[in-house]
């Protein structure tokens, strides 16, 4: 089993376990406006309130861990009905699904596909990872559909065709022909 599969399985297990508990409302952070692909700053020395050697409380999880959690949350919505303008488990459209899933991880993203396409940082197709957003031009030359990557080929989306959240493949002729780019949106510190 590949490391990514192990991480995705672990993230899914944690997520599904968390579904059985009741949580308060989420407080998403603003989506990033600047690229985050900078080298991390050296960790500050531990403060008196933090034990020596402990990670600072402001430390962010790696993009891979966040991406796996996003992918697991998207997978958990599979089978939910499609609803134009939907943004909850009673019904999702594509961008509503993205906004809902990212909010579960404390990450705010815009509501509309075209605005989601402008968020985060661009990702080259060979570098697509779990949790990345995949964009397609389905009704115009601009981004008009979005899905959440599970890996470099599979993604979760809420297409109106067949009327439910499902897994599709980027390599499928329909999606491959319409793919226009990927973005990675990560939490800000």
């Amino acid at each position: 089993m590949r490391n990514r599969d192990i991480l995705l399985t672990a993230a899914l297990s944690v997520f599904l376990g968390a579904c059985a508990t009741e949580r308060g409302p989420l407080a998403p952070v603003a989506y990033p406006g600047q690229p985050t692909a900078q080298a991390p700053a050296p960790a500050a020395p531990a403060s008196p309130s933090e034990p020596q050697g402990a990670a600072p409380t402001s430390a962010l999880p790696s993009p891979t861990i966040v991406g796996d959690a996003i992918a697991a949350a998207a997978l958990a919505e599979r089978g939910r009905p499609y609803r134009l303008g939907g943004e909850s488990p009673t019904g999702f459209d594509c961008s509503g699904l993205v906004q809902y899933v990212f909010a579960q991880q404390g990450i705010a993203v815009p509501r509309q596909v075209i605005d989601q396409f402008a968020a985060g940082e661009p990702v080259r197709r060979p570098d697509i990872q779990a949790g990345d957003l995949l964009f397609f031009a389905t009704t115009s030359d601009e981004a008009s559909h979005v899905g959440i990557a599970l890996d470099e080929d599979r993604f979760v989306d809420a297409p109106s065709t067949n009327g439910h959240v499902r897994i599709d493949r980027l390599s499928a002729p329909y999606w491959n022909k319409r793919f226009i780019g990927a973005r990675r949106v990560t939490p800000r510190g």
Side-chain angles (χ1 to χ4, degrees):
M1 191 178 275
R2 297 184 350 219
N3 285 342
R4 185 184 317 203
D5 294 337
I6 292 169
L7 284 173
L8 185 57
T9 302
L12 183 57
S13 297
V14 168
F15 173 76
L16 291 176
C19 287
T21 62
E22 195 158 349
R23 296 187 297 188
L26 292 173
V29 296
Y31 65 92
Q34 299 295 324
T36 58
Q38 302 170 4
S47 69
S49 63
E50 294 175 329
Q52 190 65 24
T57 54
S58 63
L60 294 174
S62 76
T64 302
I65 292 171
V66 172
D68 288 343
I70 289 167
L75 259 178
E77 300 306 322
R78 192 168 65 168
R80 301 279 188 191
Y82 173 85
R83 184 170 56 90
L84 182 62
E87 50 193 16
S88 75
T90 60
F92 289 110
D93 66 11
C94 64
S95 58
L97 173 66
V98 166
Q99 188 178 52
Y100 178 84
V101 165
F102 273 72
Q104 288 182 320
Q105 302 306 314
I107 304 169
V109 295
R111 176 61 177 90
Q112 302 298 316
V113 173
I114 196 73
D115 297 325
Q116 290 175 353
F117 186 61
E121 57 184 282
V123 176
R124 294 176 336 120
R125 189 167 179 162
D127 299 327
I128 291 171
Q129 297 177 2
D132 289 344
L133 297 178
L134 307 181
F135 293 91
F136 304 89
T138 56
T139 60
S140 70
D141 291 340
E142 295 182 330
S144 54
H145 185 70
V146 61
I148 300 170
L150 298 175
D151 55 37
E152 60 278 351
D153 187 43
R154 297 174 308 138
F155 63 97
V156 176
D157 64 328
S160 58
T161 306
N162 295 330
H164 64 274
V165 176
R166 67 182 190 209
I167 296 174
D168 278 310
R169 291 194 173 272
L170 184 55
S171 59
Y174 178 86
W175 295 113
N176 187 45
K177 180 179 176 183
R178 291 164 175 80
F179 179 72
I180 59 170
R183 297 287 186 273
R184 184 167 299 145
V185 180
T186 55
R188 290 175 43 172

